[in-house]
Amino acid sequence: MAELSYRDAVAHGIAQEMRRDPQLVMLGEDIAGAGGVFKTTVGLLDQFGPDRVRDTPISEQAILGAAMGAAMTGVPVIAEIMFSDFLAVCFDIVANEMAKSRYMTGGQMSVPVVVRTANGGGSRFGAQHSQSVENWCMMIPGLKVVAPSTPSDVVGLLAASIRDPDPVVFFEHKSLMASKGEVPDGEVIDELGKAKIVREGSDATIVALAYMVPRALEAADRLAEDGIDAEVIDLRTLVPLDTNAILTSVTKTSRAFTVEENPRLCGWGAEIASIVAHEAFWDLDGPVVRITTPHIPLPAAEALEDMAIPSVDRIVTTVKENLD
Amino acid sequence: MFDPELMDYANRDPRLPEPVDQGNADLGIDLEQRLDLYERQQVLRQFEKRAYDMFLQNLVKGTSHLSLGMEAVSAGFGAAMRQDDYTFATYRGHAHTLSRGVPLGPVMAELLGRENGLLKGKGGSMHLTSVEHGMMGSYAIIGAHLTMANGAAWSSQIRGTDQVTVCFFGDGTTNIGAFHEALNFAVIWDLPVVFVCENNLYMEYTPIDLITAVPNPAADRASAYGLPRIIVDGNDADAVYMTALDVIAKARSGRGPSLVEAVTYREQGHSRADPGKYRPKDEVAAWKARDPIPMYHQRLLKLGASEGDLASIQQDVARRVDEATEFAKAGRHPGEEHLMSDVWADGGSAWRN
């Protein structure tokens, strides 16, 4: 076991896979010489050389197109899009090309690409560098969507994403970069589509993702002081979605809450609320409640951004109000 | 400023083909190679005509974008490419698919939406792909596939093969951002890729010269990326073939990418929904007089081929197109088992447990 930061875990996970597969390459803006603007790729250029770790111009379409073209001809690729907001610049390739190519070619084409991107708020960067856009990708048939919350999940889920023959969008959270955690020694490989119960409880199920996981855990500790025993589920991947874990938990607790950083309309929790309402309706003691960022562009000012993104206080208050 | 006369496309000055030397006897292409180029053009012409007939019979649904009049470009490049090279094309991709040796029957069946189609009926006319033939796809939102072509070329570099990637697109594509991103990227990474602009003078319905800052939409942009300006007569299969040999050899030997503009003409409208009435009549007539296939036919006769040789090629192709038509018509409509298959590598479409 070694303690790693979330940002170091990214480079650690990539290195593990680049050692395993000598053909695996990566490309992106400022990832080689500079080690990434979030320092998530530090040391990879020295370890694997300029042919495998390549800097690109500011050309997001060229980056993802090159990744896709290489992948479909037998070379697996990790592509970095610096901020997840920039996915909109190259969304044609994400949503129309890599997601659809296997289906529309009758199963002929395989596109083993991992698109890594820094997601989410908390950095006071304003509306174009802070959004939580995992729901953009969740709604596209043909994309897998991953968003880890801990360093060991970063390593294990990166390995699973890289080894997956389908395109994966891998969201790294900006506000988790400095957080630390234990990562097992040796090769770490996890599984896509498996949620984790990160706190067991019997009174309410709180489903969270990425940066909202530590907040949900802190909220659960505070709720416990008031005698409410909350179970917290870290979804980890949105596609495939581990509905069994959610339904099993809700059957036990009879109440379901989602904590989502994405703006409210069509956020990932809406699908979960729909599934729970449909498939666990008779186990519920009350409505499914979504705790989300409001349906607004994210503001820059510290005071406003903190009001927008679900806080520990808001989670505690909302759960308490609804259980009363 | 808005000029209504400029918008009256059918009455604007026609853009006529440049006069060209009809001889071309001394290009060093032997008669056997020329007969192959003739056969390739016959296949593309007769296939596209049959596809159009099947559309009129309501057998081809949806849309289709034909290459009638533009056959010399894909024939010339197809003949110059190696079997393991890669092709990327747009929605106007029937010809580029057939040029890679993909059998006619499955392509025709795909247009008819049948289970025996190239893509099991799931892609249709605009997405023809045959990975085993190096035909890496037809892409219906222009631009992106130029960036993918870079990726295939990069992959050849990584794997240490000397495969070349050839990427076809229309004049309209030169005004989308991905074109410019892709060219810059190909040059800085020194990629073995050839970009071929089929300039048929119209971006869908709009004359390309009215909406482009330079007269030659691809060639006049080449210098911005440090590439030579290459324009070829896209109605002359010999000229295309010689240019293709040259730029493909350059890419294969590690001397980097090329951008070729092949000037040609779409003999029909943009898609099956478009009668093409916005084009001046004398322009259409002048280009029909420069139809690549009768022109090539005459050249072959001058070079010693007999009418009998050429007739037998035509008849053989006609038979193949008939067989492909029968194969396609005999295919069943895809069943429900295909609806939910092949979203993921495991063959299924499950997004939850």
Side-chain angles (χ1 to χ4, degrees):
Chain A
M1 284 281 196
E3 190 178 63
L4 285 184
S5 68
Y6 187 98
R7 79 172 83 248
D8 290 342
V10 174
H12 183 83
I14 294 171
Q16 169 187 302
E17 293 304 300
M18 290 188 87
R19 279 193 300 273
R20 176 187 61 86
D21 182 353
Q23 225 160 45
L24 177 64
V25 290
M26 59 183 296
L27 79 170
E29 296 158 15
D30 295 329
I31 64 158
V37 297
F38 295 102
K39 301 295 165 207
T40 46
T41 54
V42 170
L44 295 174
L45 174 66
D46 290 343
Q47 238 178 308
F48 300 104
D51 289 341
R52 297 183 67 194
V53 182
R54 297 195 74 162
D55 279 328
T56 68
I58 300 178
S59 301
E60 279 82 10
Q61 292 182 85
I63 292 168
L64 290 195
M68 183 172 169
M72 70 167 77
T73 52
V75 173
V77 184
I78 304 169
E80 180 175 309
I81 298 297
M82 191 184 285
F83 286 79
S84 62
D85 315 68
F86 307 171
L87 285 172
V89 177
C90 48
F91 214 52
D92 176 37
I93 296 173
V94 176
N96 286 315
E97 311 294 355
M98 50 177 76
K100 295 174 181 170
S101 55
R102 186 187 300 278
Y103 186 84
M104 73 183 189
T105 62
Q108 288 182 55
M109 195 170 275
S110 206
V111 183
V113 171
V114 177
V115 180
R116 293 178 40 248
T117 189
N119 193 42
S123 304
R124 323 324 186 180
F125 287 163
Q128 296 183 345
H129 289 70
S130 302
Q131 296 170 96
S132 224
V133 303
E134 62 274 11
N135 59 329
W136 292 2
C137 294
M138 185 190 191
M139 65 177 73
I140 308 294
L143 293 180
K144 293 182 178 171
V145 182
V146 180
S149 72
T150 66
S152 67
D153 280 1
V154 165
V155 179
L157 292 174
L158 249 181
S161 301
I162 290 164
R163 296 180 198 196
D164 196 286
D166 292 311
V168 177
V169 184
F170 192 91
F171 289 100
E172 295 159 11
H173 203 290
K174 294 192 282 286
S175 288
L176 291 171
M177 290 295 175
S179 64
K180 292 194 169 168
E182 295 289 327
V183 175
D185 296 329
E187 192 179 81
V188 182
I189 167 135
D190 208 323
E191 193 181 347
L192 304 186
K194 288 276 177 266
K196 257 188 198 164
I197 312 285
V198 289
R199 183 188 200 283
E200 290 198 27
S202 54
D203 296 334
T205 299
I206 302 177
V207 183
L209 185 77
Y211 186 36
M212 295 299 99
V213 174
R215 289 194 175 182
L217 282 169
E218 195 182 330
D221 286 344
R222 295 227 330 245
L223 287 164
E225 292 166 14
D226 291 325
I228 296 170
D229 185 20
E231 179 145 300
V232 179
I233 297 180
D234 179 354
L235 271 182
R236 309 197 311 148
T237 68
L238 292 178
V239 182
L241 184 65
D242 190 355
T243 52
N244 286 348
I246 300 164
L247 292 168
T248 305
S249 175
V250 172
T251 303
K252 181 174 72 173
T253 64
S254 302
R255 289 306 303 264
F257 297 83
T258 64
V259 187
E260 306 163 51
E261 193 180 333
N262 54 208
R264 188 162 188 93
L265 292 192
C266 303
W268 54 261
E271 185 60 44
I272 286 170
S274 153
I275 290 168
V276 170
H278 187 209
E279 298 175 39
F281 184 77
W282 302 107
D283 293 311
L284 286 171
D285 285 343
V288 181
V289 177
R290 295 178 59 208
I291 302 161
T292 74
T293 297
H295 207 64
I296 53 170
L298 214 59
E302 192 172 20
L304 293 173
E305 192 184 38
D306 286 345
M307 282 180 232
I309 297 173
S311 62
V312 174
D313 283 345
R314 178 135 67 99
I315 300 166
V316 170
T317 310
T318 309
V319 172
K320 277 169 74 175
E321 278 173 5
N322 281 278
L323 288 186
D324 278 347
Chain B
M1 191 184 291
F2 177 71
D3 176 352
E5 276 182 33
L6 203 65
M7 303 304 285
D8 183 6
Y9 301 152
N11 287 316
R12 67 189 234 291
D13 288 340
R15 187 155 172 203
L16 302 175
E18 307 272 330
V20 289
D21 169 24
Q22 295 285 313
N24 274 328
D26 55 352
L27 286 173
I29 308 173
D30 62 29
L31 188 59
E32 194 185 346
Q33 180 63 60
R34 282 189 155 116
L35 289 171
D36 174 69
L37 286 164
Y38 182 74
E39 182 186 333
R40 286 169 178 274
Q41 293 179 86
Q42 281 292 340
V43 168
L44 308 181
R45 172 66 49 97
Q46 294 193 36
F47 181 94
E48 293 286 60
K49 281 191 157 173
R50 180 61 53 84
Y52 187 68
D53 291 346
M54 307 257 273
F55 154 62
L56 293 177
Q57 294 166 36
N58 202 28
L59 284 164
V60 172
K61 318 275 180 175
T63 189
S64 53
H65 305 78
L66 304 178
S67 292
L68 289 167
M70 301 165 58
E71 294 89 344
V73 181
S74 41
F77 269 90
M81 290 173 75
R82 209 170 67 186
Q83 207 174 354
D84 63 343
D85 288 340
Y86 295 122
T87 295
F88 289 79
T90 65
Y91 50 81
R92 198 181 303 286
H94 304 175
H96 298 302
T97 305
L98 297 172
S99 296
R100 296 310 310 280
V102 179
L104 276 61
V107 177
M108 192 70 87
E110 187 62 30
L111 305 190
L112 268 63
R114 302 302 167 96
E115 189 185 40
N116 57 349
L118 192 62
L119 318 168
K120 301 174 189 165
K122 293 169 80 164
S125 162
M126 298 203 284
H127 299 299
L128 298 177
T129 303
S130 181
V131 171
E132 67 166 304
H133 293 92
M135 173 56 195
M136 301 311 289
S138 309
Y139 298 88
I141 304 173
I142 58 152
H145 73 301
L146 280 80
T147 68
M148 290 176 218
N150 280 339
W154 179 34
S155 153
S156 307
Q157 277 183 339
I158 292 166
R159 289 178 289 110
T161 70
D162 60 354
Q163 291 160 288
V164 172
T165 298
V166 180
C167 178
F168 300 92
F169 52 92
D171 42 277
T173 303
T174 65
N175 290 323
I176 201 165
F179 168 83
H180 299 274
E181 287 194 19
L183 279 167
N184 180 60
F185 198 96
V187 171
I188 57 168
W189 284 22
D190 218 12
L191 295 173
V193 60
V194 176
F195 296 107
V196 183
C197 174
E198 297 177 283
N199 178 7
N200 62 25
L201 313 187
Y202 288 85
M203 177 225 86
E204 303 198 11
Y205 299 55
T206 305
I208 192 67
D209 51 316
L210 299 187
I211 48 159
T212 307
V214 288
N216 281 94
D220 291 345
R221 266 84 172 249
S223 66
Y225 302 102
L227 293 170
R229 184 178 191 274
I230 304 174
I231 297 178
V232 61
D233 178 354
N235 280 24
D236 183 337
D238 286 341
V240 173
Y241 176 67
M242 294 307 288
T243 303
L245 285 179
D246 190 34
V247 293
I248 289 171
K250 179 185 170 198
R252 208 179 303 288
S253 62
R255 287 175 290 139
S258 297
L259 172 63
V260 175
E261 179 172 327
V263 182
T264 181
Y265 200 71
R266 204 180 59 203
E267 289 191 359
Q268 294 192 320
H270 166 69
S271 68
R272 69 173 219 182
D274 169 26
K277 291 213 158 61
Y278 43 81
R279 306 183 302 180
K281 284 200 176 78
D282 41 354
E283 179 184 286
V284 176
W287 281 94
K288 282 220 162 134
R290 287 266 291 117
D291 184 311
I293 295 177
M295 197 171 74
Y296 206 70
H297 189 106
Q298 290 308 314
R299 183 180 303 163
L300 283 171
L301 293 178
K302 273 190 210 160
L303 293 169
S306 72
E307 281 285 10
D309 294 339
L310 301 184
S312 105
I313 290 174
Q314 279 184 47
Q315 285 155 15
D316 181 55
V317 169
R319 180 187 52 75
R320 290 168 58 198
V321 171
D322 285 343
E323 284 171 9
T325 306
E326 292 314 309
F327 174 85
K329 283 181 176 173
R332 73 174 196 119
H333 294 279
E336 202 180 350
E337 70 274 22
H338 295 296
L339 181 66
M340 304 300 286
S341 67
D342 287 331
V343 172
W344 308 121
D346 66 8
S349 56
W351 53 269
R352 56 168 284 189
N353 55 14

